[in-house]
Amino acid sequence: MNIYENEQDHLPKISEAELSDEQVMEELHAIREELGDKLVVLGHHYQQDDVISLADHTGDSLQLAREAAKLDAEYIIFCGVHFMAETADMLSAPHQKVILPDMNAGCTMADMANRVEIDRAWENIKKATSAKITPITYINCSALLKDFVGANDGAICTSSNAKKVIEWALEHGEKLLFFPDQHLGRNTCFDLGIPLDEMIVYNPNMQNGGVTPEQIQKAKVILWYGYCSVHQGFTKAQVEQIKKDDPETTVIVHPECSFDVVQAADMDGSTSHIINTVKNAPAGSKWAIGTEINLVNRLANEFSDKKIVSLSPYQCLCATMYRVRPRWLLESFRSIKRGEPINVISVSEEVKKNSLKALERMLKIS
Ligand code: 13P
Ligand code: SF4
């Protein structure tokens, strides 16, 4: 099955010798003015500040997916990672084109589950149990996994609606297969009252996923082994150190962090939840945030009346989000202006059909 309908473009990028950073920003603003309503720029919260300054809409994965579904613009430039642009393409109208400024902006977690592995795991699990299993995929995955979920009566979730979607899945079936992020799955299911000993981890790199048929029969939740290497960098020891140094600091983390970190933290939630919580907190309040560093730094600058630090002393940067740079964006803008758009993400109709079923189910549930 082909995911894409088109060949991908890889044009040479505009070098620093050709244009300075300031000239790049000037040209971006000028082209944008010229193209008017033809073009809309969406920016995920982890994008760098220069890119965010050009975004018409910023948001978490769910907000940007919703935005993409209601825009009229002919061109949607998605400043984020590949799976987000794919989702936007599936939710937008056929006449619209979704562009990803850097085709190498992927997501390492999304790469931890592929369709062959999921098909094989599904077969193994089905062999072990006759219970009704509902597959749920975190939106951080390729369109082929969304297609799988749609074809098997499951749904998609994001970090901000995972609870609602999993609640739906548990009413709908007896067991849950959740991929690719074990942490979001575990943290959410635990919040919903499922004990840890009713969850197992399926590792596709091990024979039969590293689990026995008896373990599959006993488990309520089967978690794929995937994780986000950025969020897995946060540790329980860091939360304890912050609390020891200053017990008045509130620790808030993203649910892609490990179970230990989420349990030790005071709060957890999606990027938008983190932003809104900090925004609504009183002046003088102190925060340690466990998520991507571009967002933490932006919050620290924006809310200078509060003390905001990263939970980790190390730079927890999402290197793939960081690939989207203003000068790559300029390549995209120029290509639209010439009428020959590059890096268009176009998911094939074959894959879109079932993926859309699962996406629409998610939008309905949340
Ligand atoms: P949000 O949906 O919370 O923005 O998360 C997206 C993501 O990739 C976090 O790593
Ligand atoms: Fe993927 Fe992690 Fe980057 Fe989010 S922060 S896009 S999950 S690699």
Side-chain angles (χ1 to χ4, degrees):
M1 198 185 281
N2 291 326
I3 305 192
Y4 304 116
E5 279 170 343
N6 60 334
E7 287 293 316
Q8 304 304 304
D9 304 284
H10 294 281
L11 289 191
K13 314 265 169 139
I14 300 161
S15 72
E16 273 83 359
E18 213 178 314
L19 280 187
S20 69
D21 288 346
E22 292 72 32
Q23 287 171 317
V24 166
M25 291 306 282
E26 263 170 42
E27 191 176 333
L28 275 166
H29 284 293
I31 299 183
R32 189 204 178 89
E33 184 85 24
E34 198 181 323
L35 293 176
D37 295 347
K38 241 180 147 177
L39 176 107
V40 168
V41 179
L42 300 182
H44 184 265
H45 294 310
Y46 291 162
Q47 291 291 301
Q48 44 194 302
D49 288 351
D50 278 349
V51 173
I52 290 289
S53 74
L54 289 154
D56 297 290
H57 304 278
T58 57
D60 65 15
S61 309
L62 180 63
Q63 290 168 321
L64 294 176
R66 283 214 166 102
E67 208 58 63
K70 61 178 199 224
L71 290 170
D72 289 328
E74 189 178 344
Y75 295 100
I76 300 171
I77 303 222
F78 208 113
C79 299
V81 288
H82 205 284
F83 73 82
M84 296 180 177
E86 266 182 12
T87 305
D89 174 55
M90 293 193 276
L91 290 169
S92 58
H95 71 278
Q96 295 177 297
K97 286 192 169 38
V98 176
I99 290 171
L100 182 65
D102 189 317
M103 294 303 264
N104 291 315
C107 163
T108 49
M109 176 207 284
D111 294 341
M112 288 182 190
N114 65 46
R115 182 61 186 263
V116 173
E117 292 169 332
I118 292 287
D119 282 340
R120 199 179 296 138
W122 189 243
E123 210 177 289
N124 278 341
I125 295 166
K126 290 281 202 185
K127 248 190 248 160
T129 175
S130 56
K132 181 165 169 28
I133 307 162
T134 305
I136 301 292
T137 184
Y138 189 23
I139 200 164
N140 297 36
C141 70
S142 96
L144 282 177
L145 269 59
K146 294 182 175 83
D147 169 77
F148 171 89
V149 159
N152 288 286
D153 201 20
I156 294 167
C157 74
T158 73
S159 61
S160 57
N161 61 19
K163 242 184 221 164
K164 282 187 187 161
V165 174
I166 291 179
E167 266 174 336
W168 166 84
L170 291 170
E171 280 163 21
H172 187 71
E174 296 156 79
K175 291 178 191 285
L176 197 75
L177 169 63
F178 188 96
F179 47 86
D181 184 17
Q182 59 168 291
H183 299 304
L184 178 67
R186 186 179 294 109
N187 289 323
T188 314
C189 289
F190 187 80
D191 274 0
L192 288 169
I194 301 175
L196 290 183
D197 62 8
E198 289 185 23
M199 303 186 211
I200 56 172
V201 174
Y202 191 101
N203 184 341
N205 302 316
M206 294 169 80
Q207 179 114 30
N208 295 324
V211 290
T212 63
E214 292 72 35
Q215 285 173 313
I216 293 175
Q217 284 149 22
K218 264 185 66 192
K220 182 92 186 150
V221 177
I222 302 160
L223 302 166
W224 198 254
Y225 85 116
Y227 55 87
C228 165
S229 36
V230 179
H231 287 90
Q232 206 165 259
F234 296 102
T235 64
K236 185 181 172 192
Q238 289 165 353
V239 180
E240 288 168 348
Q241 190 62 50
I242 293 263
K243 289 285 184 190
K244 194 168 153 216
D245 292 347
D246 185 353
E248 281 180 15
T249 298
T250 305
V251 178
I252 185 165
V253 300
H254 195 278
E256 285 175 15
C257 290
S258 71
F259 181 74
D260 283 356
V261 171
V262 171
Q263 289 303 307
D266 299 293
M267 303 174 184
D268 70 287
S270 73
T271 51
S272 291
H273 177 79
I274 294 174
I275 294 169
N276 290 334
T277 306
V278 170
K279 190 170 155 186
N280 295 326
S285 56
K286 299 175 199 172
W287 296 88
I289 305 181
T291 198
E292 210 271 345
I293 195 68
N294 276 288
L295 174 56
V296 179
N297 287 342
R298 190 172 315 118
L299 287 171
N301 288 334
E302 208 172 313
F303 303 108
S304 51
D305 59 332
K306 300 161 201 180
K307 185 170 177 258
I308 297 168
V309 295
S310 169
L311 173 58
S312 170
Y314 310 107
Q315 293 286 311
C316 290
L317 175 95
C318 177
T320 46
M321 282 275 181
Y322 199 63
R323 293 194 74 99
V324 177
R325 297 174 55 194
R327 59 185 62 240
W328 299 178
L329 208 51
L330 182 53
E331 287 280 9
S332 310
F333 275 40
R334 281 181 176 178
S335 74
I336 293 173
K337 189 177 157 184
R338 324 188 267 280
E340 296 166 343
I342 57 165
N343 296 348
V344 176
I345 303 289
S346 177
V347 179
S348 72
E349 290 305 319
E350 190 189 6
V351 174
K352 217 184 263 184
K353 203 170 128 241
N354 281 322
S355 303
L356 265 178
K357 249 200 241 168
L359 274 169
E360 278 156 8
R361 174 167 281 153
M362 169 188 85
L363 294 173
K364 201 168 146 209
I365 296 170
S366 46

